[in-house]
Amino acid sequence: MRTGQEPQSDPPPATSPWPRAGKVAAVAVGLSMAGLAILFSLVWLVTAAFNSSEVAADGSVTILACLTLGVGLGGPLAWHGFRAIQGKPTTHLITVSPWLLLACFVPTVIVGQIVIAYDLLPALTFPPLHVIAASLPPLAILAYVARSLKSIDPGWREVVVNLSVGAFISTGLALLAEILLFVFIFAVVTLVMALTPDGLAQIEMFLRNTQDPLWLTDPANLQSAVLFPPLLVGLVLVFMILGPMLEEVVKLIGIVLLDYRQPTRAQTFLWAVAAGAGFGLMENLFNTTLALDTWAIVMIFRIGATAMHSLATGVVALGWYSFRREGKPLKLAGAYALGAVTHILWNTLALSLAGVGMLVGGLENEIALALGGGTVLLVLALFVLLFIAVLVSLHVVTRRVEKASAAAELA
């Protein structure tokens, strides 16, 4: 299945109300992403040339990540959109062994952490290692699912579209909505707090302190800022609950837009996994450089995070398939609940681990430190168990989808 390059024709345009508009949009988005990435890279290079002593690793990582996404994903999206407009068929998806990709991931992470630890020109040497390490888990997960679904011959075009939707559109919409939700919740809680005794004084003190950039550099002050009620409530509600619920909706955009192609169950699942992988790729590239001292550990857990995104989106997409093809809205509701709860659990444990670790870092009492350390180990153990459960669940769901698809072909 993965050795041929036989073309796959698109369904007749009459089956969709918007096929040409979608193809034009794919070209526009792909070219825009590629063009913006190249423009930002050139601006950064010119700036770096005149301020070479101030070039930092995080800045060069961001630029290379933008260039990778813009050219590496936006370029293929525009290419496939252009070929679709011309009426040219796509080719079969060919994937590299997922185990080979993961085998490459291990030395990349080790070398990357060594570069950081020993300060081996990280502004130049670390960015490519980071980009490779961030890209390998999504590609490995996508390759594993694609190779496991032997009953279908997926095409490059649909996979690239859903990867791009997950990376560009879904993440952008989710980020915008989460920012608006956070601002709204922060404002409401601040208003309520202002009506309580001493609430207004606490708000004024918080605003006064946070206006000083040096104030937040003290870990104790940062801990105090995070515990400020409006900020804490906003972080908990948005990033632990509302954000995951929202993301499991926007990651399904590509599946809904391509529904006119009437994909099979296996195709729907693969496309959804691609969307989740694209979402995970974006997070891997940009959300993992805040604490470079623990970069390797964070990147290892990003394997689970990417698998979680792919699994959750795949499960919700299977519910969408049952709704659209079998007229079962309750299956869609149940699948969405399962995907959202999985995402909520992951975010809750990840943020709890970070939060408890930060609180323990500010403790001085030996008993409190011991209790705090035990709490960190407990949360970490639960996180590892969820990590394993996500990987196993992705394997089980993929096998079940393949079994159902194979049975449908024989029926």
Side-chain angles (χ1 to χ4, degrees):
M1 177 181 106
R2 303 304 189 283
T3 58
Q5 283 285 328
E6 297 85 357
Q8 292 181 338
S9 299
D10 288 342
T15 62
S16 169
W18 68 277
R20 186 169 182 82
K23 295 167 186 176
V24 171
V27 174
V29 171
L31 290 178
S32 297
M33 293 297 102
L36 288 173
I38 293 172
L39 178 61
F40 288 154
S41 300
L42 291 175
V43 171
W44 182 84
L45 285 173
V46 171
T47 304
F50 289 98
N51 300 279
S52 57
S53 60
E54 299 181 5
V55 175
D58 53 355
S60 54
V61 164
T62 300
I63 289 300
L64 187 58
C66 289
L67 195 62
T68 299
L69 274 177
V71 177
L73 192 53
L77 176 63
W79 168 251
H80 283 288
F82 181 69
R83 285 180 59 84
I85 290 174
Q86 293 180 314
K88 295 181 179 179
T90 184
T91 53
H92 290 302
L93 177 68
I94 298 177
T95 58
V96 179
S97 168
W99 311 115
L100 176 60
L101 295 174
L102 290 177
C104 294
F105 174 81
V106 174
T108 302
V109 169
I110 293 174
V111 174
Q113 195 64 59
I114 291 174
V115 165
I116 295 170
Y118 292 95
D119 198 25
L120 304 176
L121 294 176
L124 296 177
T125 58
F126 178 67
L129 293 170
H130 172 75
V131 168
I132 293 172
S135 303
L136 288 176
L139 294 177
I141 289 168
L142 182 58
Y144 173 77
V145 173
R147 286 174 168 238
S148 298
L149 298 176
K150 303 181 185 299
S151 60
I152 60 172
D153 278 323
W156 275 106
R157 186 168 299 161
E158 296 82 9
V159 171
V160 168
V161 166
N162 280 285
L163 269 171
S164 302
V165 168
F168 300 136
I169 299 177
S170 298
T171 52
L173 289 176
L175 180 61
L176 177 61
E178 288 166 2
I179 290 174
L180 293 175
L181 280 171
F182 179 81
V183 171
F184 174 75
I185 294 171
F186 187 93
V188 170
V189 178
T190 301
L191 179 61
V192 173
M193 186 178 176
L195 300 177
T196 62
D198 298 328
L200 192 58
Q202 294 181 47
I203 295 171
E204 291 175 349
M205 181 180 295
F206 174 80
L207 294 176
R208 183 169 57 253
N209 289 334
T210 53
Q211 287 176 356
D212 180 9
L214 296 178
W215 185 80
L216 289 174
T217 58
D218 187 335
N221 294 337
L222 181 60
Q223 181 183 115
S224 175
V226 172
L227 294 176
F228 180 61
L231 186 60
L232 181 61
V233 172
L235 289 173
V236 169
L237 287 180
V238 172
F239 293 104
M240 288 187 179
I241 301 174
L242 299 178
M245 294 174 65
L246 177 67
E247 288 175 11
E248 292 315 317
V249 173
V250 297
K251 284 191 292 180
L252 214 64
I253 290 176
I255 304 300
V256 175
L257 294 179
L258 290 174
D259 187 70
Y260 76 92
R261 297 177 65 92
Q262 298 185 348
T264 65
R265 187 188 305 272
Q267 287 174 325
T268 299
F269 182 70
L270 176 61
W271 298 354
V273 167
F279 201 99
L281 173 63
M282 179 68 81
E283 289 188 346
N284 293 355
L285 287 169
F286 295 102
N287 294 359
T288 54
T289 56
L290 297 178
L292 292 181
D293 290 341
T294 58
W295 173 80
I297 297 175
V298 173
M299 292 307 298
I300 290 172
F301 274 97
R302 286 307 308 174
I303 297 176
T306 306
M308 179 275 298
H309 279 299
S310 295
L311 171 65
T313 310
V315 168
V316 178
L318 291 175
W320 169 262
Y321 176 87
S322 295
F323 169 63
R324 290 292 293 166
R325 301 290 173 264
E326 302 169 359
K328 298 179 179 178
L330 290 180
K331 281 199 171 182
L332 173 58
Y336 171 74
L338 183 58
V341 167
T342 301
H343 199 157
I344 288 171
L345 282 175
W346 183 274
N347 279 20
T348 298
L349 287 176
L351 292 176
S352 296
L353 184 61
V356 172
M358 185 176 65
L359 291 175
V360 170
L363 297 176
E364 297 181 357
N365 183 279
E366 291 185 3
I367 297 178
L369 277 173
L371 292 174
T375 304
V376 170
L377 291 177
L378 175 61
V379 176
L380 179 59
L382 292 173
F383 199 18
V384 171
L385 287 176
L386 182 59
F387 182 109
I388 296 172
V390 164
L391 294 177
V392 172
S393 298
L394 181 61
H395 167 76
V396 171
V397 173
T398 302
R399 293 290 177 171
R400 288 186 176 181
V401 170
E402 169 58 17
K403 184 177 180 180
S405 298
E409 284 191 352
L410 295 175

